[in-house]
Amino acid sequence: MKQLFILILFFSLLKAESSVTNIKLIENNEIKNSNIDNSTIKQGIIDMNSSTISDSTFTFTNSITDNSKLKNSTIRQGYIKLNGATIQNSLFNLKNTLKNSNIEGSTIDQSIIVLENNAKILDSNISTDNLIDNLTSNNGIVVQASINMKSGSKIDKSKITITNSIKDTTLTNSSIFQAELTLNQNSNINGATIIDKNSVTGSITDSSSLIQGRITIEEGKILTHNIDVESIANNITIDSSTTVNMCETVVSEDSTGDITKTCEDTDGTYSDGSTVTIGATS
């Protein structure tokens, strides 16, 4: 069995400071049957500053599987950060898997997109498929498919497709955040299509939380009719002061948005002071 201690691992790290065009990059990153302790692992990373990616295709397949054990570590899979940068006429496929593993005191990010300082995604397609299957988590944090826009950033005439699945997973004192969209500081989405599907089965106990499909608009605008969020919790067990929040929308006074949301909770079991909120708007 592999032992990884106080280690930083970088897989598929692209740092761009100028223009990148007509690139086709295919990366497969795997971690199997490993002990990861007090470490940082990064897979499928794109970090751009004041630069442009155009007419390119990027395919990242990242996985942590086969009885891997993660303790006090940070795992980042499929991360795109644009700082004053532009992606145009390009295709991104991000597939992330965490399966048959155990995490303790660790944070896992899958398919995170950050736009800041007038960053832009134009005429492009981004597809993310994130799977967590048969995971046991104690004091862990899992974030899947977060889009954070600020400082005048925009998504225009593009398509973003997000699929998040958490299956047969047990959380204790842990949190899952799926498909959060945040716009602030005069950011906007215009003429774009965002399809966002989330599903969870399993047990969430002991002051844990599940947040699905939350949209927050602060000093931003969504100028499109094509944002569709679906959140489905099926056969989950919630107890011991656990919180479930599905399809919440928070809109500030000066912001606008047009969003369609579908929220379902089927065959759930709730007890011991748990709180479930579905479809709230504030």
Side-chain angles (χ1 to χ4, degrees):
M1 183 177 288
K2 300 174 185 176
Q3 303 286 333
L4 306 176
F5 296 101
I6 317 179
L7 184 63
I8 300 179
L9 299 176
F10 293 90
F11 295 93
S12 307
L13 174 59
L14 171 64
K15 280 183 170 282
E17 299 290 342
S18 56
S19 294
V20 177
T21 187
N22 294 316
I23 296 295
K24 184 176 182 180
L25 177 62
I26 300 175
E27 290 284 350
N28 295 296
N29 304 305
E30 295 183 346
I31 296 173
K32 293 184 177 181
N33 194 29
S34 299
N35 279 352
I36 301 169
D37 190 357
N38 194 27
S39 302
T40 298
I41 294 178
K42 298 182 179 182
Q43 295 180 311
I45 309 299
I46 296 176
D47 189 349
M48 298 177 57
N49 296 289
S50 303
S51 51
T52 300
I53 288 179
S54 61
D55 303 304
S56 298
T57 300
F58 297 86
T59 301
F60 294 142
T61 302
N62 310 304
S63 63
I64 301 173
T65 61
D66 294 353
N67 200 35
S68 291
K69 295 178 175 61
L70 301 91
K71 184 177 181 180
N72 300 323
S73 296
T74 299
I75 312 298
R76 174 156 283 174
Q77 294 181 310
Y79 181 86
I80 299 174
K81 182 179 180 181
L82 308 181
N83 180 15
T86 299
I87 292 175
Q88 61 185 20
N89 298 315
S90 294
L91 175 64
F92 292 80
N93 295 309
L94 308 175
K95 184 174 182 179
N96 307 301
T97 300
L98 177 62
K99 188 173 183 178
N100 298 330
S101 297
N102 180 281
I103 66 173
E104 181 177 349
S106 297
T107 298
I108 298 171
D109 294 343
Q110 293 184 310
S111 292
I112 309 300
I113 301 173
V114 178
L115 289 80
E116 58 189 18
N117 295 324
N118 299 303
K120 301 176 181 65
I121 296 177
L122 309 174
D123 301 298
S124 296
N125 287 338
I126 298 175
S127 176
T128 76
D129 189 347
N130 310 299
L131 171 65
I132 296 175
D133 190 2
N134 193 26
L135 174 73
T136 300
S137 173
N138 183 30
N139 292 313
I141 298 174
V142 178
V143 181
Q144 288 188 313
S146 168
I147 301 175
N148 189 345
M149 303 174 60
K150 55 188 176 181
S151 304
S153 297
K154 73 175 183 176
I155 298 175
D156 192 10
K157 297 178 182 177
S158 296
K159 183 175 182 179
I160 298 176
T161 304
I162 299 167
T163 304
N164 299 316
S165 299
I166 298 179
K167 300 179 180 179
D168 301 325
T169 288
T170 300
L171 302 180
T172 303
N173 293 317
S174 298
S175 298
I176 292 178
F177 301 88
Q178 285 187 314
E180 284 200 278
L181 172 61
T182 303
L183 287 80
N184 55 37
Q185 299 171 347
N186 297 312
S187 295
N188 69 79
I189 298 174
N190 185 23
T193 297
I194 298 178
I195 300 172
D196 192 342
K197 295 186 177 182
N198 313 289
S199 64
V200 175
T201 64
S203 177
I204 305 173
T205 66
D206 295 339
S207 301
S208 294
S209 61
L210 167 63
I211 311 296
Q212 273 191 333
R214 180 164 60 188
I215 297 174
T216 304
I217 308 173
E218 299 174 349
E219 299 179 14
K221 294 183 179 181
I222 297 177
L223 306 173
T224 179
H225 299 278
N226 298 313
I227 295 183
D228 192 346
V229 179
E230 178 181 279
S231 295
I232 297 176
N234 184 36
N235 196 27
I236 61 173
T237 300
I238 309 293
D239 63 22
S240 301
S241 300
T242 289
T243 299
V244 175
N245 190 321
M246 299 169 61
C247 299
E248 179 185 17
T249 302
V250 181
V251 183
S252 70
E253 231 176 85
D254 299 324
S255 300
T256 61
D258 195 334
I259 303 158
T260 299
K261 298 190 290 184
T262 301
C263 311
E264 294 183 9
D265 175 21
T266 305
D267 297 327
T269 301
Y270 306 100
S271 60
D272 295 340
S274 297
T275 302
V276 179
T277 304
I278 298 176
T281 301
S282 60

